[in-house]
Amino acid sequence: MLPSGAVLADESIEQQPRAVSRRTLITGVAAAALGGLVVGGAAGGLIGRSSAWQGGSAGSASQNRPLSIIYGGDVCDAPSIVAKEKGFFAEAGLDVTLHRTVGDEDIKAAVGSGQYDASSGIFYSWLKPVEEGQNVKFVAGLHAGCLRLVVPKTFTGEVAALKGATIGIPSLSSSATMFFSMDLLDAGINPLPEAKQVKWKVLDPSTLADALRRGQVDAIATSDPIAYRPVLDGYGVELASNMSGMNRQAYCCCTALNGDLVKNEEPLARKLIEAWARGSRYVAGHEKEVARIEVDKKYVAGDVATITKLLQGYVWKPSVTQLKASLLPGIEKFKKTGYLGSSADPQQLADQAFRTLGIGW
């Protein structure tokens, strides 16, 4: 159990399918609120997309063109960071660049257009863009855990007590906003901004913890390490997470790949997923080492001890088949929030958004 109260997933949870941070305009959401900063940005410029993979030896540089993964600076970005820093991408013959997001770039659109080849995040936050035609495919779930809904230590009550509250978030379409909208729904609260049963307040992610401490918001919903800071500093408590409760997710973050990479360069995409998943598996049992990499290489802001504890609280069992099993029930539940169109077909959306790339684990 973490000091926040989050319970480490037990074996029964680990055997369940694991569901799967970040910004895009969501119809009906963006219209209700303007602005908002979320980790995003095109550091490093554009990566040109090649024509279809032509076959041949696995290590050929001409076949393994440069690939780009966009990440946001969260603790749970460990799989791609490990795969890069421990040489797993290179051992697979891949030339992968990690781009830290800056500003308010629409990450979903950037991956969908091929500006970047891949990103990660909970699949709920990608569903509306996919419904609207973004060329993105989910492949593998990477890990469980990393999202928290945190309230002041003086807060009393359950999630239902947040009706009428102001909730600080990094983006109207962030992973935390989308996930905790389902918890609000279960508590009898309409999460849509236009319903005005809660007020979503978009803030620079780095200011969320301080906004809670200063009383500028009644709660914050975001990812670690920011979500954990109020708990660590003693002025906040965890009200909910994606590691517990009826909406607990088998996977917080999944891999989201550009659709043309999946369609036209499947062997390359498959190698990317396999090396990325190897990075996820490595974290288990090496949390302190990985925390030091994240801190020393300045991927994540924080201290090694705290990040080690957070990494130990997640479950590192990547899977394609378990992500697939979680998609349809997850989409069916998420549709009830109102973020998807009333005519959206969950099965069709799951089929549209997911590919196995021939991977059986």
Side-chain angles (χ1 to χ4, degrees), residues 230-303:
V231 178
L232 183 66
D233 292 346
Y235 61 86
V237 294
E238 182 181 286
L239 184 62
S241 81
N242 65 337
M243 294 173 274
S244 61
M246 64 186 302
N247 291 315
R248 67 182 180 182
Q249 293 299 296
Y251 290 106
C252 175
C253 288
C254 74
T255 61
L257 271 58
N258 172 266
D260 287 342
L261 169 62
V262 171
K263 179 181 178 181
N264 299 328
E265 303 172 275
E266 182 175 317
L268 182 60
R270 183 165 53 249
K271 286 196 293 182
L272 175 64
I273 294 298
E274 289 171 342
W276 204 342
R278 184 182 173 192
S280 177
R281 295 187 191 99
Y282 185 86
V283 180
H286 302 89
E287 292 89 351
K288 186 173 182 179
E289 177 192 354
V290 173
R292 187 164 295 284
I293 291 172
E294 290 192 332
V295 173
D296 290 352
K297 298 285 188 176
K298 301 188 185 304
Y299 286 105
V300 179
D303 62 274

Side-chain angles (χ1 to χ4, degrees), residues 93-224:
L94 301 174
D95 176 9
V96 176
T97 300
L98 304 185
H99 292 286
R100 171 69 180 268
T101 59
V102 179
D104 62 351
E105 182 183 19
D106 186 339
I107 295 175
K108 280 76 172 180
V111 173
S113 68
Q115 179 178 339
Y116 298 103
D117 293 293
S119 183
S120 64
I122 202 163
F123 69 81
Y124 297 112
S125 68
W126 294 79
L127 289 176
K128 188 62 179 181
V130 171
E131 181 193 25
E132 294 183 330
Q134 285 290 0
N135 189 19
V136 172
K137 306 298 180 187
F138 310 139
V139 181
L142 289 172
H143 70 89
C146 77
L147 301 178
R148 305 178 199 272
L149 177 63
V150 180
V151 294
K153 204 169 185 178
T154 55
F155 181 89
T156 59
E158 302 298 330
V159 175
L162 289 177
K163 191 168 186 176
T166 297
I167 304 175
I169 52 173
S171 164
L172 283 165
S173 60
S174 73
S175 292
T177 308
M178 297 296 98
F179 177 80
F180 291 114
S181 287
M182 294 188 295
D183 279 4
L184 292 174
L185 180 70
D186 291 339
I189 301 172
N190 187 329
L192 295 178
E194 57 266 32
K196 298 183 179 180
Q197 293 189 11
V198 291
K199 179 181 178 182
W200 298 107
K201 187 171 184 177
V202 179
L203 299 170
D204 185 314
S206 66
T207 69
L208 284 168
D210 284 338
L212 183 70
R213 179 174 57 84
R214 294 170 181 165
Q216 296 169 339
V217 294
D218 301 304
I220 61 171
T222 190
S223 55
D224 293 330

Side-chain angles (χ1 to χ4, degrees), residues 330-347:
I331 296 172
E332 289 173 339
K333 177 64 180 286
F334 184 69
K335 183 180 176 180
K336 296 176 182 178
T337 64
Y339 286 110
L340 298 177
S342 59
S343 62
D345 182 332
Q347 183 64 66

Side-chain angles (χ1 to χ4, degrees), residues 52-64 92 266-268 270-271:
W53 192 88
Q54 297 298 316
S57 62
S60 171
S62 63
Q63 294 147 2
N64 293 341
E266 182 175 317
L268 182 60
R270 183 165 53 249
K271 286 196 293 182

